[in-house]
Amino acid sequence: MMDANRHEVSFNAGEIILKQGAPLTHIVCLTKGSANIYIEGLRKRKLILRILKPTEIASGPGLFVDNKLHYSVRAITDCYACLIDIEAFNKTIIRNNQFAFELLRMINKQMIENFDRMVTLTMKQMPGRLAETLLYLSNHVYGTDSFHTELSRQDIADLSAMTKESAIRIIKEFKDSGILAVEGLDFSILNKEKLISISITG
């Protein structure tokens, strides 16, 4: 049913896939590339919640509530996504208990991750927040301590709830203290134990 009611769409890097405040008409399943999920706040500031990778879906808390998108999704790289009609998606949930169970499990997992993010962003100082972001990129997005990222310094700042200038300054401090090696968009974590310690102590 969902396969018969989906459209595969290509997006260029930087393009908006879903826009906060718009009607929730489709579920997005990323099939290639990467995108970021972010909330647009006061004075047009952005808070990136997480990075969306292939096979992950984006729907948002508006599903079954107000049918409105409560966050935006923007392509980080050139990517492909399947847009699944919301009515077909809802019918599948009603008819397929196992699918509904797995969806609920996924939503709860994301909720726990968001709780952890809230603790990081509200209870840690800026070095702890940036350390947490670097560990998130290393462990959950790229799966390696040495990675090339398409994220700009502004994106890294938006993941860490700080200004771009603060993110650049702390990255330099980590580099100068031997925790991190940075060359443009290439990052290598040299002292992960120290980075974890900074993340824990905030």
Side-chain angles (χ1 to χ4, degrees):
M1 184 190 300
M2 287 194 291
D3 189 55
N5 290 276
R6 71 175 179 87
H7 302 277
E8 188 171 32
V9 182
S10 64
F11 295 91
N12 296 323
E15 283 192 309
I16 299 296
I17 299 173
L18 296 175
K19 176 66 175 174
Q20 181 176 323
L24 179 56
T25 58
H26 291 82
I27 302 296
V28 168
C29 178
L30 205 65
T31 56
K32 184 179 179 180
S34 61
N36 58 37
I37 295 178
Y38 64 93
I39 296 173
E40 300 176 72
L42 299 174
R43 297 183 293 279
K44 298 185 178 180
R45 290 196 61 181
K46 298 176 183 176
L47 175 63
I48 296 178
L49 299 176
R50 64 188 181 94
I51 307 299
L52 196 66
K53 298 182 294 181
T55 73
E56 293 182 334
I57 69 170
S59 60
L63 186 66
F64 305 129
V65 180
D66 57 6
N67 294 316
K68 185 172 71 173
L69 291 166
H70 290 267
Y71 56 60
S72 296
V73 179
R74 180 179 66 87
I76 298 171
T77 63
D78 293 347
C79 60
Y80 287 86
C82 278
L83 274 62
I84 304 166
D85 179 77
I86 192 69
E87 293 301 322
F89 190 81
N90 289 346
K91 286 178 182 177
T92 304
I93 291 172
I94 293 170
R95 297 179 184 182
N96 188 325
N97 292 337
Q98 185 63 31
F99 179 77
F101 174 81
E102 293 297 337
L103 180 68
L104 185 60
R105 192 160 72 104
M106 182 203 73
I107 291 171
N108 285 341
K109 182 180 177 182
Q110 290 177 358
M111 190 179 299
I112 291 169
E113 291 173 354
N114 286 339
F115 287 161
D116 291 341
R117 291 271 294 144
M118 289 301 296
V119 169
T120 294
L121 298 178
T122 59
M123 299 183 184
K124 294 183 180 180
Q125 297 181 30
M126 286 192 292
R129 300 204 299 266
L130 189 64
E132 189 74 31
T133 292
L134 293 170
L135 290 169
Y136 168 72
L137 294 175
S138 171
N139 296 333
H140 301 288
V141 178
Y142 301 108
T144 176
D145 289 347
S146 295
F147 54 86
H148 175 84
T149 181
E150 299 296 333
L151 295 172
S152 67
R153 294 297 189 268
Q154 184 63 63
D155 289 332
I156 292 173
D158 290 342
L159 264 169
S160 311
M162 63 181 68
T163 64
K164 177 182 176 181
E165 293 74 20
S166 295
I168 291 172
R169 175 177 55 80
I170 298 169
I171 288 172
K172 184 178 185 304
E173 290 175 359
F174 287 173
K175 182 179 179 180
D176 291 344
S177 59
I179 297 172
L180 201 64
V182 184
E183 189 65 41
L185 297 177
D186 294 314
F187 288 74
S188 291
I189 298 174
L190 304 178
N191 190 338
K192 198 164 190 176
E193 292 77 13
K194 181 65 174 176
L195 197 64
I196 292 171
S197 176
I198 293 171
S199 170
I200 292 171
T201 59

